[in-house]
Amino acid sequence: PKERGWLFSHIYNYQGFWIAPRQLQAVRACQQQFLAQDSDIILVTFPKSGTTWLKALVFALVNRMNYPISGKNHPLLFKNPHDLVPFLELKLYVDGQLPDFSSYTSPRLLSTHLTYGSLPKSVQDSQNKLVYLCRNPRDTFISLFHFANILKIENMGISSIEEMLDLFCKGVSFYGPFWNHVLDYWKESMEKPKKVLFLMYEEMKEQPEIQLKRLAEFLECPFSIEEENCGVVDEILRICSFENLSNLEVNKNENLSTGEKNKAFFRRGEVGDWKNYFTTEMVEKLNHIIEQKFQGSGIRFLYI
Ligand code: A3P
């Protein structure tokens, strides 16, 4: 409805989640045309949960034989992770056609923000692996707020942080409601632990080695003792770190092939930045809905 502002004329509820109308064609093309392969690795996130970081880590991990991690020509030094691991549904496709992912070498690395229920059927039915990265809702929200408003990447027309939080708490946010997104993948990871791995941004920040090894085992490419002794785990973490990636020329001054500025994907990369923005009332407001929705799920968010 018009009276609810600009966002409502620019956001559309499709299959229970919110999406920009201009992405609808791409989502539909993906749902109708994408054919999953058993060897596919699909990275899934709610927007602003650390997608860029996850893409870098999985790319470096899976390709460590083809691209030695300390090599001077490693693709991560010259390309933004989003150009190395494309989104299934985010590009504006010509004539409603999905890009030709069939030419990608196996295992194909792809990503999506789609909810579990809206994934292409072939993804749900095949043996491929899904890696889900979840971030606490306060930092996710603040990251989204910056992406939307301050960086003007996607001018959602929201004037204040309070107004945006109000919508977020009502579930209105791209790919939201946040809770449905997270809970559906959480449930799948419990029921199908070989298919879905559920990672948390805060745990990756706190225990990066443990989480990277977990990821490698899930993807069936565990580190050998030799690799561990040679420091491969540390090297992957270093090359993919916020400090390293955000200081590369490609990520400071270049744009993605889809047009966005690479630097928009690197802001602070920390846990707890919400404290610089949230008032006590805002914490209470978000807690209220988060506690209600996540009650009994077993998920505990780390905020510090
Ligand atoms: P902040 O806005 O809190 O800094 P996405 O990649 O899903 O769009 O998420 C972007 C968020 O991940 C941003 O959070 C960004 O700074 C952070 N990020 C990007 N690269 C990172 C990295 N290598 N390590 C940790 N966080 C990273």
Side-chain angles (χ1 to χ4, degrees), residues 28-130:
R28 285 217 177 105
C30 163
Q31 290 177 328
Q32 288 160 6
Q33 297 166 27
F34 180 69
L35 285 180
Q37 295 173 3
D38 286 344
S39 55
D40 287 345
I41 297 172
I42 302 180
L43 312 182
V44 193
T45 48
F46 185 83
K48 311 322 289 174
S49 301
T51 323
T52 317
W53 188 20
L54 184 64
K55 286 185 179 190
L57 286 169
V58 174
F59 183 90
L61 178 67
V62 169
N63 291 300
R64 66 192 193 269
M65 298 302 170
N66 310 345
Y67 303 116
I69 195 68
S70 42
K72 290 208 163 36
N73 293 325
H74 197 284
L76 278 168
L77 300 176
F78 305 100
K79 288 195 167 187
N80 179 281
H82 292 286
D83 274 338
L84 294 169
V85 183
F87 277 105
L88 280 179
E89 82 286 5
L90 275 194
K91 259 172 92 180
L92 297 172
Y93 303 115
V94 183
D95 299 331
Q97 286 300 308
L98 207 62
D100 184 14
F101 292 124
S102 63
S103 59
Y104 284 40
T105 47
S106 165
R108 301 186 301 182
L109 299 188
L110 298 162
S111 81
T112 184
H113 287 319
L114 284 174
T115 58
Y116 189 80
S118 293
L119 287 173
K121 191 154 182 332
S122 71
V123 173
Q124 298 187 13
D125 293 346
S126 87
Q127 307 282 316
N128 55 37
K129 302 232 178 226
L130 301 176

Side-chain angles (χ1 to χ4, degrees), residues 44-55 82 87 112-113 132-137 139-141 143-144 168 174 178 181-182 199-202 204-205 265 269-270 301:
V44 193
T45 48
F46 185 83
K48 311 322 289 174
S49 301
T51 323
T52 317
W53 188 20
L54 184 64
K55 286 185 179 190
H82 292 286
F87 277 105
T112 184
H113 287 319
Y132 188 81
L133 178 59
C134 167
R135 190 179 192 188
N136 82 59
D139 284 327
T140 303
F141 171 77
S143 187
L144 186 65
F168 190 84
F174 290 119
F178 172 85
H181 205 280
V182 174
L199 295 171
M200 288 187 123
Y201 183 96
E202 296 75 20
M204 306 237 312
K205 288 292 273 190
F265 296 92
E270 285 168 11
F301 292 111

Side-chain angles (χ1 to χ4, degrees), residues 1 34 39 88 98 112 135 143 163 210 224 235 254-255 257-258 265 278 285-286 291:
F34 180 69
S39 55
L88 280 179
L98 207 62
T112 184
R135 190 179 192 188
S143 187
E163 190 188 349
I210 294 177
S224 64
E235 253 315 279
E254 293 178 26
N255 292 355
S257 53
T258 43
F265 296 92
F278 268 65
K285 187 180 174 96
L286 186 55
E291 278 169 15

